[in-house]
Each structure stands twice: as C-alpha cells, then as structure tokens.
C-alpha cells in the first residue's frame, strides 16, 4: 500500500500489529478515528497508556487488578481453601458470571506449549505449588481449555501436588447446554457418558 | 461483562467504539497489548495521537496529507486540468495503485446521504465547483461507489457544472476482471453491454 501520508502510514502499521487486524482493516479504523471528534482518539490512547502503565497483577492469584490484592482474593466471604486454576483473566470473568463458584482463583497466564516456547517457568505455576505446600488448600480445580496444551499443563501441576492431601478435580467435559447430541464429537460424548451425573443432582442448576 | 479492573474496563470500552469491534474482540486486543512489551502500546498510542493532532488535508484536493499541498497536487508532471472526484483517501490510494491515472483528485469526504444526515454542505463540493468556475479544468471524472448515494452525489455535482464547457465522465461499470458472466447482476451486465468498447482498445490495458 502506498500511503499519501507518513503519519497515516505509521498509525496503520501500528494498528495492524494487533492480532486479527490486517492493513485494510487498520486503515478503515484509523480513517474512522480521523472522522470522529478528537476526544475519541485521545480517549482511546489515554485509556491504553494508563492501562499499560498502571495495571497491577494480584499478588495472590495473578489476575489483572487495580490493587495489589484483587477484589476476589480480598473478600473474606470467598473460600480460600478452594483454588480454581485458569489460563487468563477472561476465564475468571466467565466463571464469575456463573455466580456458582465461591472459592478463589489462580491465573497461570497461559498454558505449557513447547511449540510456542512456553514452558512451566514462564507461567505462574511455582506460586501455586507453594500455596499447596504451605497448607490450607483443600481442593484444586483445573479449569483450563480442553486442548493438548491444557491437558499437559493440568498433568504437570497434578504430578507436583498429588502427594499432598488435597482433592484435585477438573471441570466436567460434556455436551454443552443447548447442543444437539448428533453433532457432538465421540470423545466429548464418551466422556459425558462415563462421567454421567445422578439425575437428581442435574436438576439443581 | 464484569471487569476485575476499572483500567481494563475503560480500555475495552474505548476500543469497542471502533467500528466492527465488539466488547469481546476489544478485550482480546487489550489483553494482547498487556502481554506484549510496553513499546507496542506506546507505539500505537503515539502514532494515533500524532496522526490526529498533526494530520493535514491538502488545501487543493482535500486528501489526507503531511503537507499543505499533497504530493500529487504538488507534482508538475500531473495533468491539473483533469480532476477525478472520489469519496475518500482510500479511493485515491486504489486509483494510484493502477498507475494509469495522470490527472489530479478531489476528495469529497463522503457521499450525499440524507438518511445519515450528510448533505452537500458537509462535503467538499463547493471548492470543486469553484475550481470548475475558475477555469482551467477540462474533464471531471466521477469515481464514486456505484450506489444510490454515489449516483445522487454525482448527479448533484453534474447539475452545477454542466453549463461549463468541460467533459464529465464516470468510471465504467461492468464485469470485474476475473468474474464469471453468469454471476453478474442484470444491471451491471446491461451497462457493460451498452457501454461496450472496441475490441482493439480493450487489448491495450
């Protein structure tokens, strides 16, 4: 693309570095900003700069937070003996949305993925093991994605905590609510059959 | 969406104001920026702020430009008597890409669209009429999108310049190169038939 302006070209190139945004989309977004009042651009850039400079990570669960200890870890009403292990803060938001979980979280910041060069040391795994070692934890719930990387990460952590007297569990794999049985893959269907739940307890939620 | 952080929420809300970007995509983009080195965020915000504050519009053709007169209008080698009327700077870039046009441009900044509240006074139509009135223009080429709004805008301008001794033309509507005839709509096909070109001249480009 030949740009009529260096300023425009720079803005488009920077915007196009965002994932899933190509040069054409970036140009469309930047031209949109130029047509809007200047406040929209400064609003966006100020919010991004502030976020990047001021953001903190909870020193207990490593979730994104405005304070040193996040809202969830801070609450005495949450059960601090149950820890749900998740990949990132989006998973925390999704699980909080269900309003069914009363324990706390531990955000790993990713999954073990040798192909992407992500090993255990790049993730917040050690602090989790330390929490278990220090006692007070009764259950670890693995809530990572059901992928090869997620399973690897689950197993890596499991191996290191299995000798401590705690319960380890994973969230149930099965047919999503609203899904039709005939379209489910056989692994999911198989697991949903093996880990079937008593009908009475399925009525509760 | 319940955000664990106000800073995150603000950044996502600002990002989600861009066209075609919903809250979920905005969250994904913002979290991506958080995982990258801080230079990527400052690079993006600086480029956007600079663009918004420093950008100029060519005082002759109204295209985005770093200088008061854009590169194209500045060149003596361009034919200043032929003016191609386009909607925005993306059209200038697309036409320049063909390397076939040697005249200059006039960027309207949009199309007449009463439904969106855009009338002739919001567009750079008056300066175009003035250029024609002041003389020196031999041809006006309309290169707006082939939509109701584009046709309305073409006709509005045409009415005001038709009494001056200049050629007015529109870019050809027809079957796109590489397209199959059977999938073309009847209006396009009809126009391409009526405005057929001598075979010899079709061999040139």
């Amino acid at each position: 693309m030949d740009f009529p302006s260096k300023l425009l070209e720079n803005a488009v190139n920077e915007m196009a570095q965002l994932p899933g945004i190509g040069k054409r989309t970036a140009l469309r977004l930047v031209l949109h900003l130029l047509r809007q009042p200047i406040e929209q651009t400064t609003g966006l850039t100020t919010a991004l700069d502030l976020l990047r400079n001021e953001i903190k990570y909870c020193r207990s669960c490593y979730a994104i937070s405005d304070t040193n200890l996040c809202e969830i870890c801070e609450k005495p009403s949450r059960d601090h003996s149950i820890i749900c292990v998740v990949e990132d803060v989006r998973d925390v938001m999704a699980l909080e949305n269900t309003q069914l979980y009363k324990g706390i979280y531990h955000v790993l910041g990713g999954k073990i993925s040798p192909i992407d060069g992500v090993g255990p040391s790049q993730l917040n795994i050690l602090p989790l093991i330390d929490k278990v070692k220090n006692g007070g934890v009764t259950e670890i719930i693995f809530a990572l994605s059901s992928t090869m990387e997620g399973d690897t990460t689950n197993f890596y952590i499991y191996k290191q905590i299995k000798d401590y007297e705690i319960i380890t569990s994973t969230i149930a794999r099965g047919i999503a609510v609203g899904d039709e049985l005939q379209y489910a893959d056989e692994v999911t269907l198989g697991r949903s059959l093996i880990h079937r739940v008593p009908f009475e307890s399925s009525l509760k939620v």
Side-chain angles (χ1 to χ4, degrees), chain A:
Chain A
M1 266 197 244
D2 275 347
F3 290 89
S5 145
K6 271 276 160 217
L7 293 170
L8 183 67
E9 184 169 5
N10 283 346
V12 169
N13 285 341
E14 290 287 344
M15 193 69 106
Q17 283 191 40
L18 292 172
I21 300 209
K23 285 251 173 130
R24 267 169 197 275
T25 308
L27 180 58
R28 189 167 54 84
L29 296 178
V30 168
L31 289 178
H32 170 84
L33 282 176
L34 275 177
R35 278 194 301 267
Q36 302 301 311
I38 194 163
E39 288 74 26
Q40 187 170 341
T41 306
T42 47
L44 173 65
T45 56
T46 314
L48 287 180
D49 281 332
L50 258 180
L51 173 76
R52 198 63 184 78
N53 289 315
E54 310 272 316
I55 199 70
K56 293 188 181 73
Y57 293 89
C58 171
R59 64 179 152 80
S60 173
C61 75
Y62 296 89
I64 286 172
S65 168
D66 290 341
T67 46
N68 286 325
L69 203 60
C70 77
E71 277 181 20
I72 296 171
C73 287
E74 217 172 34
K75 268 197 195 136
S77 61
R78 308 286 297 219
D79 186 344
H80 282 61
S81 72
I82 304 177
I83 299 177
C84 182
V85 180
V86 294
E87 196 186 326
D88 76 13
V89 75
R90 275 178 290 185
D91 306 321
V92 174
M93 289 164 66
L95 284 161
E96 281 298 287
N97 245 346
T98 67
Q99 303 191 335
L100 287 171
Y101 181 61
K102 294 298 162 215
I104 56 171
Y105 297 92
H106 188 89
V107 179
L108 293 180
K111 291 168 292 193
I112 296 174
S113 172
I115 232 169
D116 303 313
V118 181
S121 58
Q122 271 108 56
L123 306 174
N124 308 315
I125 292 182
L126 218 57
L128 177 65
I129 313 287
D130 284 342
K131 273 186 205 167
V132 174
K133 276 186 190 163
N134 295 338
V137 178
T138 57
E139 183 174 358
I140 296 281
I141 304 171
F142 293 114
L144 300 188
S145 308
S146 187
T147 57
M148 175 90 88
E149 289 83 12
D151 290 345
T152 307
T153 314
N154 286 344
F155 193 67
Y156 179 88
I157 299 172
Y158 171 74
K159 270 198 307 180
Q160 300 190 54
I161 58 174
K162 71 175 174 359
D163 295 335
Y164 297 90
E165 268 198 12
I166 52 168
I167 304 164
T168 49
S169 58
T170 68
I171 53 169
R173 314 299 184 186
I175 311 296
V177 177
D179 262 15
E180 291 198 50
L181 211 70
Q182 56 183 319
Y183 300 121
D185 66 288
E186 62 268 28
V187 180
T188 303
L189 200 52
R191 286 199 190 187
S192 75
L193 197 61
I194 291 170
H195 301 298
R196 61 192 178 276
V197 295
F199 186 68
E200 288 84 2
S201 69
S202 79
L203 295 173
K204 283 180 191 158
V205 186

